[in-house]
């Protein structure tokens, strides 16, 4: 995760969901620098009293480019400039790659799912450095990409590229080509208007006095005030694992553009009506629709 507001909400959802066990978290450079992303993960872990869940600092830079930030949207602190106290918990002394590699090495075959809610730098580096861990991964769920399969599937960082993929397209290419089962939850679905938090939802969160709701109220405040709504990109990737019945996936081939003059970071979906072996790109299970019940599910878990 890369320390943004929706990353924090995604982590709350994950830690509040008995259907999954969170093995650990790696922070990555993205919305904010990696140190801040780790602090924000620790804030959530501390809030929900889960010091057993390790948080590791990952890579401070994309594989081949300068980092891009999203301070305008997520605030300098990544959490809406909410002035939250510093967490007492510290990141593990292990590097993110070592922490992930250890967790995966001690897991059974196909036991672990990796949910990515930031640029794919950490995961790509792990797959290159420790390819033996691949067999332990059941699947990878990526919040990222814009595939043109709904009318909302256009870029948010450039006309055609989504932020997480655009931030480190070389890493995304490695992950998409890794031959591990890959599910994508892209802007095509995360920006469907009925799935966004609106003022009425915010009022409901604000009314609840639970600690997760109070935290969410604080980190969402500036965005709700400025835009009247908030898009739940990252929680939607987590919920794909917890409530798959709310999701529709379709098989598609995808290529990640790394060299385009105008199209770097584009996730090129081959939607042509051709035979399987004539299509371009790697097979991906692409989310094509999410039931509006997602929002109720998310709000209930926050309570
Ligand atoms: C993605 O970009 C980040 O700003 C959000 O946290 C989310 O992961 C959406 O494009
Ligand atoms: Ca994110």
């Amino acid at each position: 995760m890369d320390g943004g507001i929706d990353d924090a909400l995604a982590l709350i959802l994950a830690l509040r969901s008995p259907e999954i066990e969170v093995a650990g978290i790696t922070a990555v450079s993205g919305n904010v620098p990696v140190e801040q992303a780790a602090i924000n993960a620790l804030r959530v872990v501390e809030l929900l009293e889960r010091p057993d869940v390790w948080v590791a600092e990952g890579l401070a830079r994309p594989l081949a480019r300068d980092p891009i930030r999203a301070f305008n949207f997520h605030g300098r602190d990544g959490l809406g400039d909410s002035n939250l106290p510093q967490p007492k918990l510290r990141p593990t002394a292990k590097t993110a790659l070592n922490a992930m590699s250890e967790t995966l090495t001690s897991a059974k075959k196909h036991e672990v799912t990796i949910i990515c809610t930031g640029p794919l730098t950490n995961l790509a580096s792990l797959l290159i450095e420790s390819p033996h861990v691949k067999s332990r991964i059941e699947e990878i769920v990526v919040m990222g990409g814009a595939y043109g399969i709904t009318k909302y599937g256009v870029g948010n960082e450039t006309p055609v590229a989504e932020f997480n993929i655009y931030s480190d397209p070389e890493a995304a290419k490695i992950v998409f080509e890794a031959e591990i089962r890959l599910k994508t939850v892209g802007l095509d679905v995360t920006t469907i208007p009925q799935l966004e938090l609106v003022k009425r939802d915010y009022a409901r969160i604000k009314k609840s006095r639970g600690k997760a709701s109070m935290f969410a109220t604080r980190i969402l405040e500036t965005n709700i005030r400025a835009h009247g709504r908030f898009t739940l990109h990252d929680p939607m990737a987590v919920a794909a694992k917890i409530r798959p019945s709310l999701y529709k996936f379709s098989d598609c081939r995808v290529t990640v553009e790394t060299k385009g003059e105008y199209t770097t970071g584009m996730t090129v979906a081959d939607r042509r009506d051709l035979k399987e072996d004539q299509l371009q790109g790697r097979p991906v299970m692409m989310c094509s629709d999410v039931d509006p019940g997602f929002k109720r599910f998310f709000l209930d878990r926050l309570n």
Side-chain angles (χ1 to χ4, degrees), residues 2 4 6-7 31 117-118 164 234:
D2 65 333
D6 59 331
D7 294 87
N31 291 322
T117 66
N164 289 336
D234 294 343

Side-chain angles (χ1 to χ4, degrees), residues 20-282:
I20 59 171
E21 182 191 337
V22 179
I25 299 151
T26 76
V28 70
S29 158
N31 291 322
V32 291
V34 65
E35 300 80 10
Q36 186 65 38
I39 288 172
N40 292 350
L42 288 165
R43 282 180 160 135
V44 174
V45 167
E46 194 164 286
L47 176 81
L48 299 183
E49 297 171 66
R50 292 295 305 277
D52 54 303
V53 176
W54 55 259
V55 174
E57 254 179 42
L59 280 294
R61 297 179 60 78
L63 295 184
R65 296 168 192 263
D66 289 334
I68 52 170
R69 306 290 177 216
F71 295 134
N72 281 349
F73 186 81
H74 293 277
R76 291 303 296 191
D77 67 352
L79 296 180
D81 287 327
S82 48
N83 289 319
L84 289 160
Q86 289 294 319
K88 290 185 194 71
L89 292 173
R90 306 293 316 145
T92 161
K94 291 173 194 160
T95 65
L97 299 195
N98 283 345
M100 279 195 281
S101 171
E102 276 178 24
T103 297
L104 286 163
T105 305
S106 62
K108 296 193 199 90
K109 201 169 175 214
H110 296 156
E111 194 181 23
V112 179
T113 290
I114 301 185
I115 304 177
C116 304
T117 66
L120 298 169
T121 322
N122 291 349
L123 179 54
S125 308
L126 175 77
L127 297 176
I128 300 233
E129 275 191 21
S130 312
H132 69 277
V133 302
K134 282 189 190 179
S135 64
R136 313 300 162 94
I137 302 175
E138 186 203 10
E139 61 181 9
I140 297 168
V141 183
V142 167
M143 188 286 123
Y147 304 89
I149 46 168
T150 77
K151 65 176 177 178
Y152 307 108
V154 295
N156 60 359
E157 188 61 30
T158 75
V160 295
E162 181 278 332
F163 178 85
N164 289 336
I165 306 294
Y166 184 76
S167 295
D168 196 343
E170 284 74 20
K173 187 170 157 61
I174 291 168
V175 170
F176 276 64
E177 293 182 357
E179 295 182 349
I180 301 171
R181 187 158 83 161
L182 177 65
K183 285 188 179 143
T184 58
V185 179
L187 299 177
D188 305 74
V189 291
T190 63
T191 58
I192 294 175
Q194 300 96 290
L195 300 174
E196 295 185 319
L197 279 185
V198 293
K199 282 186 177 160
R200 187 159 27 97
D201 305 312
Y202 182 70
R204 178 179 155 188
I205 299 172
K206 200 170 174 178
K207 236 166 101 185
S208 158
R209 306 306 295 163
K211 57 184 172 184
S213 297
M214 284 164 74
F215 181 90
T217 302
R218 224 161 138 178
I219 65 175
L220 285 165
E221 192 182 348
T222 43
N223 256 277
I224 294 287
R225 207 181 300 131
H227 310 294
R229 64 199 175 88
F230 185 83
T231 311
L232 295 165
H233 304 284
D234 294 343
M236 235 180 269
V238 171
K241 194 69 204 175
I242 302 167
R243 273 287 178 281
S245 56
L246 296 173
Y247 290 70
K248 268 200 199 121
F249 284 92
S250 54
D251 295 325
C252 193
R253 300 265 173 168
V254 175
T255 312
V256 179
E257 174 63 271
T258 55
K259 296 192 176 77
E261 189 177 356
Y262 303 106
T263 53
T264 296
M266 183 177 183
T267 40
V268 182
D270 193 343
R271 290 151 55 223
R272 291 176 294 178
D273 189 15
L274 293 177
K275 290 205 187 88
E276 189 62 29
D277 61 354
Q278 295 173 311
L279 293 169
Q280 173 193 295
R282 298 295 165 142

